[in-house]
């Protein structure tokens, strides 16, 4: 668009911007998952790895990227190391964040975990096949990346119908509790029957991401 509008070849600029966004994405996703885990043992290694790969992304010569020269291979090695490390940490944290949560919150977290894993596999496949890329590999990589993007969208902002389906277990439990409530005789029985179900249904309705959604 820039080249057609003002005669500027924006190809290298856009390529660098996309590369830097790709480098920064796993770190920002990692930062998102820190709200689920009190342990900050990986904070400094994650930041150091991202800074190192960012500097390498700025320095790598894109015009020789297809030739897989020394600087390009160094960048690819750092890039894969950073993505492998951060994808593993974030996927585990996202999966564990859903443990013990209402169905909606649990499935949102695990959908995000699958999205993170799928995107990493897509990138790993693209880098591994960069020397002998074929149309089949390219198409498979793009489809996997697209599915991962859709999973991220579903995890962060699930459609209303999907949220309703995911809430069903808690809603069903609440209805059963209401039926049991009709057979209670004391205030303590009312509290024991109704309060846990209402709390679960309320947490499921809010559907907040993170470990606090069930509290």
């Amino acid at each position: 668009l820039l080249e057609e509008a003002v005669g500027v070849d924006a190809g290298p600029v856009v390529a660098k911007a996309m590369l830097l966004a790709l480098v920064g994405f796993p770190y920002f996703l990692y930062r998102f998952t820190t709200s689920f885990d009190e342990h900050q043992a990986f904070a400094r290694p994650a930041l150091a790895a991202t800074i190192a790969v960012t500097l390498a992304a700025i320095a790598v010569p894109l015009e020789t990227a297809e030739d897989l020269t020394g600087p390009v291979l160094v960048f690819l090695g750092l890039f894969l190391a950073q993505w492998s490390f951060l994808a593993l940490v974030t996927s585990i944290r996202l999966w564990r964040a859903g443990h013990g949560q209402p169905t909606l919150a649990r499935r949102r977290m695990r959908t995000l975990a699958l999205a993170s894993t799928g995107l990493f596999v897509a990138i790993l496949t693209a880098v591994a096949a960069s020397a002998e890329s074929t149309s089949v590999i390219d198409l498979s990589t793009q489809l996997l990346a697209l599915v991962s993007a859709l999973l991220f969208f579903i995890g962060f902002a699930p459609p209303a119908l999907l949220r309703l389906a995911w809430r069903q277990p808690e809603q069903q439990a609440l209805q059963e509790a209401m039926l049991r409530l009709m057979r209670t005789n004391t205030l303590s029985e009312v509290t024991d029957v109704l309060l846990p179900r209402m709390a679960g249904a309320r947490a499921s309705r809010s559907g907040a991401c993170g470990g606090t959604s069930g509290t």
Side-chain angles (χ1 to χ4, degrees):
L1 290 176
L2 286 175
E3 186 175 6
E4 292 180 359
V6 296
V8 176
D9 182 10
V13 176
V14 173
K16 283 284 186 178
M18 292 177 64
L19 192 59
L20 291 174
L22 196 60
V23 168
F25 180 81
Y27 178 73
F28 292 120
L29 186 61
Y30 163 80
R31 292 294 303 167
F32 169 70
T33 63
T34 56
S35 60
F36 313 140
D37 197 331
E38 296 179 355
H39 302 289
Q40 301 297 324
F42 299 118
R44 291 184 178 178
L47 179 60
T50 302
I51 291 175
V53 181
T54 300
L55 294 176
I58 295 174
V60 66
L62 293 180
E63 61 273 8
T64 62
E66 294 182 358
D67 299 331
L68 296 180
T69 58
V72 175
L73 290 176
V74 171
F75 166 73
L76 288 178
L78 291 173
F79 177 76
L80 285 180
Q82 181 225 19
W83 260 91
S84 300
F85 166 56
L86 292 179
L88 177 64
V89 173
T90 54
S91 296
I92 291 175
R93 282 184 172 179
L94 287 168
W95 191 270
R96 292 176 57 187
H99 180 70
Q101 298 300 316
T103 305
L104 176 59
R106 183 175 65 254
R107 291 184 178 176
R108 289 180 69 179
M109 289 296 98
R110 294 185 174 175
T111 298
L112 291 173
L114 292 175
S116 177
T117 303
L119 186 58
F120 168 65
V121 173
I123 289 176
L124 182 64
T125 303
V127 173
S130 58
E132 300 179 359
S133 181
T134 65
S135 58
V136 175
I137 294 177
D138 290 342
L139 180 60
S140 301
T141 302
Q142 292 174 17
L143 287 176
L144 184 55
L146 178 61
V147 170
S148 298
L150 292 175
L151 289 176
F152 273 117
F153 173 76
I154 292 173
F156 279 115
L161 290 178
L162 187 58
R163 290 199 306 269
L164 181 62
W166 283 351
R167 288 182 187 138
Q168 283 300 110
E170 280 74 25
Q171 296 290 350
Q172 183 65 30
L174 183 58
Q175 291 177 6
E176 294 175 357
M178 295 295 291
L179 294 176
R180 291 178 56 193
L181 183 63
M182 299 177 65
R183 298 193 296 269
T184 58
N185 297 313
T186 65
L187 181 59
S188 61
E189 290 179 347
V190 172
T191 303
D192 293 339
V193 170
L194 195 57
L195 186 57
R197 275 77 178 182
M198 292 186 65
R202 180 65 184 88
S204 177
R205 184 172 296 111
S206 63
C209 283
T212 60
S213 60
T215 57

